[in-house]
Amino acid sequence: MPEETLSQVNLFTMAPQLHQRPPFRAEHLGSLLRPDQLLETKLAFEAGKIPESQLTASEDKEINAIVETQQKLGYAALSDGEYRRHMFWGTFFPGLDGFEEVNDVDVDDFRPYAPDIAAFLEAGHKPGESVICTGKIKHVGSTYVDQFKYLASQVPANEVGNLKITLAAPNWYHLRYREGKAYPKSVYTNDEDYFGDIAKAYQAELQILYDAGCRNVQFDDPNLAYFCSDKFLTGFKEDPLNVYSADTMFEKYIKQYNDCFANLPADMHIGVHLCRGNFVGSRHFSEGGYDRIAIKLFQELNVHTYYLEYDTPRAGGFEPLKSLPTHKNVILGVVTSKFAKLEDKEDMKKRVIDAAKFIAEGNNISLDAALNQVGVSPQCGFASHREGNAIDWDGMINKLQLVRDIANDIWPNQA
């Protein structure tokens, strides 16, 4: 048998392997507080007072500084702080053919029980700008790759593969719209065709990033955590337009993700971050433990790592981690990024150990083996929206240092 064919056979017959470094023992979720000067520069550019070149120079300067800050704190999976973005999801969907940014969507097009939409409506605000499908979806060029290339220019070549870039969830502009409103029926006759073209777009994006040296991608997906919310599930069940149950829709989103990864290179690390909202002023949108989605999430979604919110009781207990397979990692977000009050390090270490005990129990393995699948992080980003959380710069640095200290104590001498 030719050597190449034998290698391919071995690849497909081997048991799944634990992919690490990335992820690392101490992680953060990508978005970091923007310095005031950068925010002022962005506002000046948007007001037409300065040229784009001046904005870019300011972004470059602050990215250089935040990379150095992360390095000093001892983080390996560096990000650019999402400093070129307005919101955490960036510009993937507006950059596709077939999607358009709109400023005045009919409020009746949204699911009023989707937690983020519900929060706006309850506060008396109409959901603002959005992105909607208007035609056939096609990837026509990456809006992320230049961000990655600049970040890569700030580190030695042997560290480029550790860098983290965050991507929008593929279901982002589907779940928020009511049945029949996510795309024109004249363009896509069903969800499967619509999801299929989105998957092809992500396949193209991931390949472009890979070719640029990217090996570490994190999908940010509050939507998956919404399926943990009783309030959302009740609204979904009572919506007369829905043709699927919430369970079926969750399964469709799992398949959509897996289709996005159909051609994924073997050495590319993929993670998914679930949280319950992280808006201006440290607002969250939903509550509910991972229990009802754990089996499908951990065993059917083809990612290497789960970055999970676990800083408050609204995320439930660690029991669902019994369903985490031995070839996957979980990064425990036990330190809140929403407020400056610092957690007790010993209490957080105990929580990490407690979580690992459930992984060990679920797989009938030792605690040490279970801890090998675990890392620690803040529960979410510090600035999912560029205005940031209700925490100041020193508060953010203290949180990042605490995460690093927790990791150092539990996993000495590991990145």
Side-chain angles (χ1 to χ4, degrees):
M1 181 179 290
E3 182 177 349
E4 181 180 2
T5 305
L6 179 61
S7 174
Q8 291 171 346
V9 170
N10 289 340
L11 175 66
F12 287 108
T13 56
M14 287 191 302
Q17 299 296 304
L18 188 66
H19 191 309
Q20 292 187 325
R21 290 170 183 77
F24 299 90
R25 300 305 182 194
E27 292 264 352
H28 67 75
L29 280 303
S31 70
L32 299 167
L33 291 176
R34 279 71 157 167
D36 290 341
Q37 183 60 51
L38 177 57
L39 292 174
E40 292 169 7
T41 303
K42 287 180 179 294
L43 291 173
F45 169 71
E46 290 165 4
K49 296 179 180 179
I50 62 171
E52 186 174 7
S53 59
Q54 190 171 333
L55 170 63
T56 300
S58 180
E59 291 171 338
D60 290 351
K61 175 186 174 183
E62 299 300 348
I63 289 170
N64 298 352
I66 199 61
V67 165
E68 184 177 349
T69 296
Q70 293 170 79
Q71 290 170 327
K72 288 179 178 178
L73 286 165
Y75 283 80
L78 309 176
S79 82
D80 64 1
E82 299 178 0
Y83 280 6
R84 302 193 198 275
R85 304 185 189 185
H86 180 86
M87 297 289 287
F88 70 89
W89 55 75
T91 52
F92 179 75
F93 281 96
L96 300 176
D97 269 2
F99 277 97
E100 292 184 12
E101 290 185 275
V102 289
N103 293 318
D104 190 26
V105 184
D106 187 337
V107 70
D108 291 333
D109 288 352
F110 294 102
R111 299 183 193 270
Y113 48 88
D116 53 328
I117 301 298
F120 284 113
L121 295 177
E122 289 167 6
H125 298 298
K126 177 182 176 180
E129 62 187 32
S130 192
V131 178
I132 195 163
C133 175
T134 57
K136 280 287 185 181
I137 298 164
K138 184 179 180 182
H139 193 280
V140 290
S142 174
T143 60
Y144 288 126
V145 69
D146 287 343
Q147 296 175 18
F148 178 81
K149 287 180 177 179
Y150 185 81
L151 179 62
S153 74
Q154 301 304 301
V155 301
N158 66 336
E159 296 180 12
V160 170
N162 298 337
L163 301 175
K164 180 189 289 187
I165 188 165
T166 60
L167 302 188
N171 58 52
W172 187 250
Y173 289 109
H174 183 268
L175 182 68
R176 65 194 298 105
Y177 296 121
R178 299 189 76 179
E179 179 67 33
K181 300 296 184 179
Y183 50 85
K185 289 295 186 181
S186 59
V187 177
Y188 292 106
T189 57
N190 54 50
D191 283 347
E192 283 67 30
D193 290 344
Y194 168 80
F195 290 156
D197 278 353
I198 289 179
K200 290 176 185 176
Y202 274 94
Q203 291 171 19
E205 182 71 32
L206 290 169
Q207 187 62 53
I208 289 170
L209 290 170
Y210 183 87
D211 292 343
C214 178
R215 298 295 184 270
N216 188 12
V217 170
Q218 172 190 303
F219 285 83
D220 288 322
D221 197 341
N223 286 351
L224 293 184
Y226 291 170
F227 288 87
C228 304
S229 163
D230 287 339
K231 190 174 181 179
F232 168 75
L233 294 172
T234 297
F236 198 99
K237 185 175 182 179
E238 293 176 351
D239 185 344
L241 294 181
N242 285 333
V243 296
Y244 306 114
S245 69
D247 287 342
T248 299
M249 186 58 69
F250 188 81
E251 292 169 0
K252 285 177 174 288
Y253 289 158
I254 296 292
K255 183 180 184 302
Q256 183 191 23
Y257 263 111
N258 291 343
D259 288 345
C260 292
F261 309 145
N263 301 315
L264 192 73
D267 60 340
M268 194 171 201
H269 170 261
I270 298 291
V272 61
H273 166 53
L274 278 71
C275 79
R276 287 148 185 80
N278 193 48
F279 198 56
V280 177
S282 297
R283 178 164 190 170
H284 73 277
F285 295 130
S286 71
E287 299 182 357
Y290 300 99
D291 308 71
R292 73 178 311 278
I293 66 170
I295 292 176
K296 291 185 181 300
L297 178 70
F298 295 143
Q299 298 183 11
E300 296 183 17
L301 179 61
N302 295 333
V303 299
H304 303 102
T305 300
Y306 301 90
Y307 303 89
L308 300 184
E309 172 183 346
Y310 261 125
D311 62 324
T312 69
R314 68 172 168 264
F318 295 127
E319 290 84 355
L321 296 177
K322 291 180 183 180
S323 298
L324 184 77
T326 56
H327 66 280
K328 294 188 177 185
N329 309 282
V330 61
I331 307 300
L332 300 167
V334 295
V335 172
T336 191
S337 62
K338 287 179 162 53
F339 305 104
K341 183 179 179 181
L342 208 58
E343 292 85 351
D344 180 85
K345 184 177 73 167
E346 296 305 316
D347 288 346
M348 296 303 100
K349 287 163 56 178
K350 182 179 183 302
R351 294 205 73 210
V352 171
I353 300 299
D354 287 345
K357 289 177 180 177
F358 284 106
I359 299 172
E361 179 183 346
N363 290 290
N364 194 26
I365 58 176
S366 69
L367 178 59
D368 284 344
L371 279 170
N372 190 47
Q373 298 175 238
V374 178
V376 66
S377 74
Q379 133 273 342
C380 197
F382 290 89
S384 298
H385 184 283
R386 73 182 184 191
E387 293 179 19
N389 291 352
I391 186 171
D392 62 13
W393 187 268
D394 288 343
M396 177 181 75
I397 298 300
N398 291 338
K399 294 284 184 169
L400 292 172
Q401 185 63 63
L402 174 61
V403 167
R404 183 66 265 180
D405 290 346
I406 293 167
N408 289 346
D409 283 2
I410 298 176
W411 304 278
N413 303 313
Q414 295 189 33

